[in-house]
Amino acid sequence: MASIVTVVKKPFSLCISITKWIPVVFILAVVGWSYYAYVVELCMVTVESYAEKLVYLVFYHISLLLFLWSYYQTVMTPIGKVPKQFKLSSADLERFESTEDNRLQIQILDRHAADGCLPTYNRTMSGTLRYCERCRQIKPDRCHHCSVCGECVLKMDHHCPWVNNCIGFTNYKFFVLFLGYAFTYCVYVTLSTLKYFIVFWKDGLQGVARFHILFLFFVASMFGVSLISLLSYHCYLVLRNQSTLETFRPPIFESGPDKRGFHMGRYNNFCEVFGDSKLKWFLPVFSSLGDGVSFPQRHVDLDSDGLLGRQRWQERLLSDDASDSDDSHAALVSGLAGDGGVRVGNGVPVGSPQRSVPDVRLVME
């Protein structure tokens, strides 16, 4: 019976996976048609001035490149996964699932968080640590389980069907840039085709080109208007250091719910998403600050020892990196002694970069 269910389930899952890519294919198809309509029908066929053609094509391809680059990064960037330190050990997991005593379960979670120096300051409504029963792990701050992806996502904002991906810590900057450059692309196409759209209404254009220009103007205008509210909303969230989920359900601390619990000032909030390098702010390259697990807080409960907890978490990460480095060095020596080749472990290159550790900032009000 189980084998029959498995055989039926695999094609069904494959069909669902293919269906999820339909919105992405639709967007790429619209962009592909708009490229033909703008470059061929407008610039090559309709526009007569060579200087005007050159200006149109240069700025069009710049906006298109940034738009597609940010969209690609949003779609293809893997979601931020929870570090292994947040998973219970086999013994603790067995004890946790075998008992129905809530107090014992809370003790198991609290002890695991304390032993691992986990920087967990968000709580449930009852004041306990947040635990994901599906992933069987403690949830880091601002982390939520996505039912579509089937995983817990670091600093989850929402699941977007138009990119077939979860928007979270690893790709939120790309998503905001995608909205911004998509809006810029639509506005540019609308304004540059406006003159020829007016000529069309005066019956000055002939042939197939006029229909492409007509639909191009309407499609660009429609998408541009629809993007205004979405782009404005996410710019607002960036400046307030909030996710979409946190606007509907404020994060809960030991002191209670606080929508602005991670608000560190507009500039710091902006830098947390876009990074501290101004050259990378508007480029679709990853430059967000932090590790997606530990976040500076506006208020820190002195009893929770929040700042010290984040420092211990950083020290733990650094010690893990140091132990990994020692293991790699031992493997390197072993490889050199064996056959003279330079090898580290299972092929990890020497000098691989360490994981980023967030800058710890504290604002007391």
Side-chain angles (χ1 to χ4, degrees), residues 88-101:
L88 298 178
S89 63
S90 300
D92 286 342
L93 182 60
E94 183 178 356
R95 291 181 57 208
F96 182 87
E97 295 182 343
S98 62
T99 182
E100 296 182 357
D101 187 351

Side-chain angles (χ1 to χ4, degrees), residues 208-325:
V208 181
R210 64 176 186 175
F211 294 105
H212 282 285
I213 294 174
L214 171 65
F215 286 112
L216 183 62
F217 177 83
F218 276 120
V219 170
S221 302
M222 179 184 66
F223 277 100
V225 171
S226 64
L227 285 169
I228 290 177
S229 58
L230 190 59
L231 175 61
S232 302
Y233 177 66
H234 280 281
C235 289
Y236 167 80
L237 293 181
V238 168
L239 295 179
R240 289 176 62 90
N241 204 341
Q242 283 183 291
S243 67
T244 300
L245 294 176
E246 289 169 352
T247 59
F248 293 99
R249 181 179 296 179
I252 302 174
F253 301 87
E254 292 190 1
S255 58
D258 186 2
K259 278 190 175 183
R260 304 183 66 191
F262 298 103
H263 180 72
M264 304 298 294
R266 292 182 178 180
Y267 179 77
N268 289 331
N269 295 341
F270 179 87
C271 289
E272 186 170 311
V273 175
F274 288 87
D276 50 10
S277 175
K278 295 182 179 180
L279 296 177
K280 298 180 181 179
W281 276 358
F282 302 109
L283 290 178
V285 293
F286 184 81
S287 59
S288 301
L289 301 180
D291 57 2
V293 173
S294 176
F295 301 92
Q297 301 171 27
R298 187 167 64 101
H299 296 293
V300 176
D301 191 337
L302 295 180
D303 295 334
S304 69
D305 202 9
L307 179 60
L308 182 57
R310 285 198 295 273
Q311 292 175 339
R312 288 171 177 170
W313 168 250
Q314 295 175 22
E315 292 172 358
R316 177 82 175 228
L317 292 182
L318 292 176
S319 65
D320 291 344
D321 287 336
S323 63
D324 293 342
S325 177

Side-chain angles (χ1 to χ4, degrees), residues 132 134-135 139 143-147 149-153 156:
C132 180
R134 295 183 179 180
C135 298
K139 292 182 181 179
C143 174
H144 298 276
H145 184 89
C146 176
S147 58
C149 296
E151 297 183 59
C152 285
V153 181
M156 179 178 174

